Amino acid sequence: MTKTEIYNKMKQAYYTLDIEAVEARIFALQCNYIKDSNSFIKIAERKEVESQGVFNAMTDILPNWVNYDIDDDTMLLVDKLCERKAELKEMEKFEEVA
């Protein structure tokens, strides 16, 4: 496995955890009950910590990680993460108005 492949696998793990965290925050906003909402918030926080751990590991293993190219699969995850974050931001804006 090349360094670029390792980089992309770690980035994919990082983005997947970030997506799961954002989705959990979206679910928390959609919940009708505080207890359910709090459960999703805890899930989101755990995923965010795991994601940060993957990022830290990646920077330790590949200190010059900015020199590697992102493959198509990783780029799809980046796009999905951006879409989810935009959806969450829109929902939070709606929550503030309501």
Side-chain angles (χ1 to χ4, degrees):
M1 187 175 275
T2 66
K3 288 183 179 182
T4 301
E5 291 171 333
I6 294 169
Y7 166 76
N8 278 293
K9 292 293 180 190
M10 293 188 85
K11 276 299 232 189
Q12 289 170 14
Y14 170 74
Y15 288 131
T16 299
L17 288 166
D18 270 354
I19 290 167
E20 291 172 357
V22 172
E23 288 174 343
R25 290 197 180 277
I26 289 170
F27 293 146
L29 289 174
Q30 294 172 338
C31 286
N32 294 327
Y33 301 103
I34 294 294
K35 184 177 179 182
D36 293 338
S37 178
N38 289 340
S39 295
F40 281 114
I41 290 170
K42 287 178 184 176
I43 291 169
E45 290 170 348
R46 188 181 75 240
K47 295 290 183 182
E48 290 163 352
V49 168
E50 290 174 8
S51 173
Q52 186 61 46
V54 170
F55 181 80
N56 291 342
M58 182 184 69
T59 56
D60 287 347
I61 293 170
L62 303 166
N64 298 323
W65 60 273
V66 292
N67 298 331
Y68 301 106
D69 295 325
I70 294 178
D71 66 12
D72 292 340
D73 293 336
T74 306
M75 205 60 211
L76 288 173
L77 288 172
V78 170
D79 293 341
K80 185 175 180 179
L81 178 60
C82 291
E83 290 170 9
R84 293 293 187 267
K85 282 187 174 184
E87 183 181 345
L88 176 61
K89 187 175 183 178
E90 192 65 32
M91 289 180 75
E92 288 174 338
K93 192 184 312 180
F94 179 72
E95 285 288 317
E96 290 175 6
V97 173

